[in-house]
Amino acid sequence: GAAGGGEEAGARVQASPSVSVRAAVTPQHSMASSVGGDATPGTDAALVRRLTRQMERLDVAARRGEEEVLKLRAELAGRDVRLEEGQEREEALRCEVEEREAARAEDEALLTEAESASKAAATERARLATALSEATARVKQLEVQLGAVGRG
C-alpha cells in the first residue's frame, strides 16, 4: 500500500515538467548514479516522500499567497469605497460652497440695492426738509404781510 502510493506520487512528480527529479537527488544519490549503480528502492521511496513533502509545502505557500492576494484585494476594495465616499462628500461640499457663494452674491446685491434706496431716501428727506423750511419761511412772510395790511 505505502510503496504503491509512493510510486504513484513518484510518477506524478516525474510527469511534472517543472520538477526535475535529478535536481532533487542528494549528492550521495548522484554519486551512486555516476558510479554506475542504481538507487535502491528505499532511496527512491525516500526521494518520493521528500519531493511530496516539498510539493505539499509549496501548495501551502501558494494557498497562503492566494489568501494574501484575496485579503489585499478586499482591503483595496474597501479603500476604493472610502475613496468614492470621500469624493462624493467633496462634491457635496463643493455644491454647498457654490450655493453659499451664490447666496452671498445675492445678499451683496440686496445690500447694494438697500444702500442705494437709503441714499435716495436721505436725498429725498433733505429735499423735503428744504421745501418745508422754504414753505415755513414763506408762511411767516405772508403772516407778516397780512399783519401789516390788518394794521394799516
Side-chain angles (χ1 to χ4, degrees):
E7 289 171 8
E8 290 172 18
R12 179 175 54 115
V13 169
Q14 290 173 350
S16 171
S18 63
V19 177
S20 168
V21 175
R22 288 245 182 250
V25 174
T26 60
Q28 47 185 246
H29 296 127
S30 296
M31 173 101 66
S33 295
S34 67
V35 171
D38 288 328
T40 63
T43 306
D44 286 344
L47 174 61
V48 167
R49 282 192 305 274
R50 196 171 103 226
L51 290 173
T52 301
R53 284 192 306 271
Q54 184 176 9
M55 289 184 67
E56 288 170 353
R57 285 192 300 271
L58 290 172
D59 286 344
V60 168
R63 279 194 302 275
R64 285 185 187 143
E66 289 170 0
E67 290 170 0
E68 184 67 17
V69 165
L70 291 175
K71 178 182 164 189
L72 291 172
R73 282 186 180 153
E75 186 178 324
L76 181 60
R79 288 182 180 182
D80 287 345
V81 167
R82 287 191 302 276
L83 175 63
E84 188 175 316
E85 289 170 350
Q87 289 171 337
E88 288 171 1
R89 281 194 304 270
E90 181 182 357
E91 182 62 27
L93 288 172
R94 187 175 295 120
C95 288
E96 185 177 334
V97 165
E98 288 173 1
E99 289 171 3
R100 287 184 180 185
E101 287 175 347
R104 182 174 182 202
E106 188 177 322
D107 289 348
E108 287 176 353
L110 289 173
L111 178 61
T112 301
E113 187 179 322
E115 288 172 342
S116 294
S118 177
K119 287 178 183 176
T123 301
E124 183 65 14
R125 183 176 183 275
R127 188 188 67 73
L128 290 174
T130 302
L132 177 62
S133 178
E134 291 173 353
T136 303
R138 179 78 176 134
V139 167
K140 285 184 181 178
Q141 186 182 30
L142 290 174
E143 287 175 349
V144 169
Q145 290 176 350
L146 274 175
V149 169
R151 282 185 295 218

